[in-house]
Amino acid sequence: MLRDVLKEAGEKVFLLGNEAIARGALEAGIDVYAAYPGTPSSEIGVTLQQACDYIRDRMEYYMEWSINEKVAFEVAIGASLAGKRGMCGMKHVGVNVAADALFSFSYIGARGGFVCVTADDPFMHSSQNEQDNRWYGKAAKVPVIEPSTVQEAKDYVKLAFEVSEKFNTPVLFRTVTRLNHGSGVVELGEIPEKKLEKVKWEKHPETDVIVPAVARRLKPRVIERLKRLEEHFSKAKEFNWVEGGDGKAGVIASGLSYVYAKEAIKRLGRDLPLLKLSTTHPLPTKLIEDFVSNLDKVAVVEELDPFVELHVKAIAKDYGVEVYGKENGYFPMNYEYSVGVVEEGIAKMLGISPTVNVQEKMEALQKTMSVAPPRPPVLCPGCPHAASFYAIKKVAGNECLPSDIGCYTLGVNKPFQTVDITICMGASVGVPNGLYRVINNKIVVTAGDSTFFHATIPALANAVYNGAKFVYVVLDNLTTAMTGHQPHPGVSESICGVEKKKILIEDVVKGVGVDFVEVVNPMNLKKMEETLRRALEHDGVAVIVARQPCAILWTRERRRKGVKIRPFEVTEACTLCLRCVSDFTCPAIVYDGEKVWIDEALCVGCGVCRQVCPENAIRVKRTQ
């Protein structure tokens, strides 16, 4: 909670990992924070947005929700180049969007501290892939720092800024979902008193203008910087250390996996030497050499790719040390780890039995889960996307239906089945540029309003310029709903005392040359279907802005204004055709095997089900 995040230094509070990172940014005296919301990173920005107004009298900073991750990264670059502390946050796939700026900024180097949070997502709880962003650190030649606990999530932010400024380098701050969304007791440090004062710009074209001649001169500096970082990390006991016994079998663990490894060793009743790593690029080679040189075998524990393992193998072979990790099957290559999984791998290396049989536990869990009724994710009661998908299914259900990343990806499920393709942010419009050239079907694209601004505008301009033909339905629910209702350029909101100017999607669409542009409330099914039919006949790109607030925000706003929400009910005229269940579906509509009824506790009074019913058997619930 925000009041805990903002408590005084010395107090111990229970914080979410992301809240701890936000507190760490405050203690580091950030000047600028920019982000695009993406689970599991979103709460960092939410916390800093909320804190901004509360502490402005003693600490000033600027915070914004940027249009995408590349822009967020570049906003933080701007702060750093002016000598201020800049920070940005994003989920792991967001770094793909920001990578162009990352690689070039690595050559330029930071002036004021620069930290980029990359929140990786083992097990893909809310992501389309399981990429390991430590490879970005290696490829871009920048340091990667990984906290292991919620306390370190706070403390290491400040240390990351110090590393950034000492070595004039951007820093990747790598977290994982279990740390971002886990909670723990955190001892707070001081939040400095500071104003966000503007400074005079100092020109540095000899480093800041990355033309080939400059880049060639800077590249050797980047290599030399990595060597100095490696030496520093080998001695930096605040990041990396050895603990435990002095046997001939040891364990190396990085990031959150260190916590699992420590508990696993305790369970096994062994006193194994354990090397804890929180700087995974560049790795502290001297420290690793000193550690493995006294061992016969070592287990490497890390989530996702065998990143540390490959480097340890290269070192260990010179000492004849056997390495046990992912590549030889001692630890799984996929998904999240747990104490049980790590214990099993270490026990296997030691040739002993683990205290828990993970496979048996998983089989018992699967058996228990099979008894429970399935609960697939669904669109909320009153979600305008449900109305849009119902209309699309009715008008163009057999056509090609690309979509994007958001709540609306749930349109892939029954009964709508109106999502054929989802790849990455913006691909919903980019892919049809190619599809149009090679398929006979008509194409109806769906993407949300935040996604529209994030990545679809260039692809839309490309489609207009190259004469493609498809329908683009912008599912405009006036928020970034999936990640917690953060604002985007399509809505006006004041953040950190700065009033944001609303940009109408339809104006942007017209600006890139689209001739067919119409704004429709999707809750009006007849109008939505009629507009879709006309759009499909348009010779060119047609854009329909399906605008209706997110049901959660819509309901919240009505309650705030004192508007009585009147639920709907099913009358005796119902013939059990089940169209409202099989063709439309809403969590508030229940078929119990004998009759259809509406749960008034869930119904938000949108009335779409009434339009779906062919028997006019749904009406506003009559009051007694």
Side-chain angles (χ1 to χ4, degrees), residues 40 181 219 236 253 408 447 460 561 581 589:
H181 289 168
K219 175 70 180 293
Y408 47 86
L460 182 62
K561 292 180 178 179
V581 176
I589 300 174

Side-chain angles (χ1 to χ4, degrees), residues 167-388:
F167 295 93
N168 305 113
T169 179
V171 173
L172 289 181
F173 194 82
R174 190 226 188 192
T175 61
V176 293
T177 301
R178 290 292 176 188
L179 186 58
N180 292 101
H181 289 168
S183 298
V185 176
V186 177
E187 184 173 350
L188 304 179
E190 290 283 351
I191 296 178
E193 292 189 9
K194 62 175 278 290
K195 295 291 184 182
L196 179 54
E197 296 176 345
K198 292 187 176 182
V199 296
K200 184 178 180 181
W201 171 245
E202 295 182 6
K203 298 177 183 291
H204 296 277
E206 71 282 359
T207 58
D208 297 0
V209 182
I210 295 293
V211 294
V214 172
R216 284 192 290 269
R217 190 175 69 250
L218 293 178
K219 175 70 180 293
R221 295 188 192 181
V222 174
I223 302 300
E224 190 272 334
R225 181 181 73 196
L226 274 179
K227 292 179 181 178
R228 290 188 293 118
L229 279 163
E230 182 182 316
E231 292 173 2
H232 175 73
F233 287 159
S234 286
K235 301 173 184 176
K237 294 183 180 179
E238 66 271 29
F239 289 123
N240 312 306
W241 61 79
V242 177
E243 58 189 53
D246 57 359
K248 290 299 182 180
V251 178
I252 298 175
S254 64
L256 186 61
S257 295
Y258 158 75
V259 179
Y260 299 147
K262 189 170 183 176
E263 181 63 25
I265 292 169
K266 182 179 178 181
R267 278 192 189 181
L268 289 168
R270 299 299 178 101
D271 187 21
L272 303 180
L274 171 62
L275 171 57
K276 186 255 197 192
L277 296 177
S278 283
T279 59
T280 46
H281 187 262
L283 282 165
T285 303
K286 181 66 169 58
L287 183 61
I288 295 172
E289 285 180 347
D290 291 344
F291 183 73
V292 301
S293 64
N294 297 311
L295 302 175
D296 293 330
K297 52 188 174 183
V298 63
V300 180
V301 186
E302 57 186 325
E303 286 187 318
L304 297 182
D305 295 347
F307 183 86
V308 173
E309 179 183 340
L310 291 172
H311 291 76
V312 170
K313 277 186 172 180
I315 296 169
K317 67 179 176 61
D318 293 334
Y319 298 92
V321 178
E322 187 70 27
V323 177
Y324 298 81
K326 293 172 178 288
E327 290 203 316
N328 51 11
Y330 281 74
F331 297 94
M333 190 74 76
N334 306 316
Y335 314 138
E336 291 179 304
Y337 282 2
S338 65
V339 175
V341 167
V342 173
E343 181 190 346
E344 194 170 65
I346 295 174
K348 188 177 178 182
M349 175 188 73
L350 297 174
I352 61 176
S353 298
T355 61
V356 176
N357 188 311
V358 175
Q359 187 62 34
E360 285 184 3
K361 288 284 186 181
M362 290 302 297
E363 289 175 358
L365 178 61
Q366 291 296 328
K367 187 175 180 181
T368 301
M369 291 175 62
S370 67
V371 176
R375 295 187 63 188
V378 294
L379 296 170
C380 300
C383 177
H385 302 337
S388 294

Side-chain angles (χ1 to χ4, degrees), residues 445-458:
V445 172
T446 49
D449 41 347
S450 183
T451 304
F452 169 84
F453 288 107
H454 178 285
T456 71
I457 297 171

Side-chain angles (χ1 to χ4, degrees), residues 30-286:
I30 60 161
D31 294 297
V32 172
Y33 181 83
Y36 182 80
T39 306
S41 71
S42 303
E43 294 86 0
I44 304 169
V46 170
T47 303
L48 289 171
Q49 177 185 343
Q50 294 172 345
C52 191
D53 292 330
Y54 280 89
I55 65 171
R56 194 180 303 165
D57 59 332
R58 61 188 173 114
M59 179 190 172
E60 287 184 343
Y61 61 91
Y62 171 75
M63 183 272 165
E64 76 170 37
W65 293 107
S66 302
I67 200 166
N68 63 29
E69 294 88 354
K70 182 175 186 291
V71 174
F73 197 99
E74 291 162 349
V75 168
I77 287 177
S80 176
L81 291 179
K84 299 291 186 178
R85 285 191 162 180
M87 184 173 177
C88 57
M90 58 200 70
K91 68 183 296 174
H92 61 303
V93 290
V95 181
N96 300 336
V97 181
D100 198 11
L102 166 64
F103 278 71
S104 292
F105 187 46
S106 173
Y107 277 35
I108 294 172
R111 291 196 185 94
F114 180 98
V115 175
C116 173
V117 178
T118 165
D120 288 9
D121 191 16
F123 197 75
M124 299 167 281
H125 291 280
S126 57
S127 308
Q128 64 268 41
N129 68 39
E130 204 178 35
Q131 72 189 51
D132 187 331
N133 276 1
R134 292 177 295 179
W135 295 108
Y136 269 118
K138 186 172 181 64
K141 298 178 175 58
V142 300
V144 179
I145 295 175
E146 293 188 61
S148 298
T149 65
V150 178
Q151 179 72 52
E152 289 181 356
K154 178 192 79 71
D155 295 341
Y156 282 7
V157 172
K158 186 175 181 180
L159 292 174
F161 274 112
E162 292 172 0
V163 167
S164 175
E165 290 168 349
K166 181 176 181 177
F167 295 93
N168 305 113
T169 179
V171 173
L172 289 181
F173 194 82
R174 190 226 188 192
T175 61
V176 293
T177 301
R178 290 292 176 188
L179 186 58
N180 292 101
H181 289 168
S183 298
V185 176
V186 177
E187 184 173 350
L188 304 179
E190 290 283 351
I191 296 178
E193 292 189 9
K194 62 175 278 290
K195 295 291 184 182
L196 179 54
E197 296 176 345
K198 292 187 176 182
V199 296
K200 184 178 180 181
W201 171 245
E202 295 182 6
K203 298 177 183 291
H204 296 277
E206 71 282 359
T207 58
D208 297 0
V209 182
I210 295 293
V211 294
V214 172
R216 284 192 290 269
R217 190 175 69 250
L218 293 178
K219 175 70 180 293
R221 295 188 192 181
V222 174
I223 302 300
E224 190 272 334
R225 181 181 73 196
L226 274 179
K227 292 179 181 178
R228 290 188 293 118
L229 279 163
E230 182 182 316
E231 292 173 2
H232 175 73
F233 287 159
S234 286
K235 301 173 184 176
K237 294 183 180 179
E238 66 271 29
F239 289 123
N240 312 306
W241 61 79
V242 177
E243 58 189 53
D246 57 359
K248 290 299 182 180
V251 178
I252 298 175
S254 64
L256 186 61
S257 295
Y258 158 75
V259 179
Y260 299 147
K262 189 170 183 176
E263 181 63 25
I265 292 169
K266 182 179 178 181
R267 278 192 189 181
L268 289 168
R270 299 299 178 101
D271 187 21
L272 303 180
L274 171 62
L275 171 57
K276 186 255 197 192
L277 296 177
S278 283
T279 59
T280 46
H281 187 262
L283 282 165
T285 303
K286 181 66 169 58

Side-chain angles (χ1 to χ4, degrees), residues 517-534:
V517 184
E518 295 198 19
V519 180
V520 181
N521 184 337
M523 299 298 200
N524 185 337
L525 292 180
K526 184 177 180 181
K527 178 66 174 175
M528 186 69 183
E529 292 168 16
E530 182 268 331
T531 307
L532 274 167
R533 290 188 178 94
R534 287 191 292 108

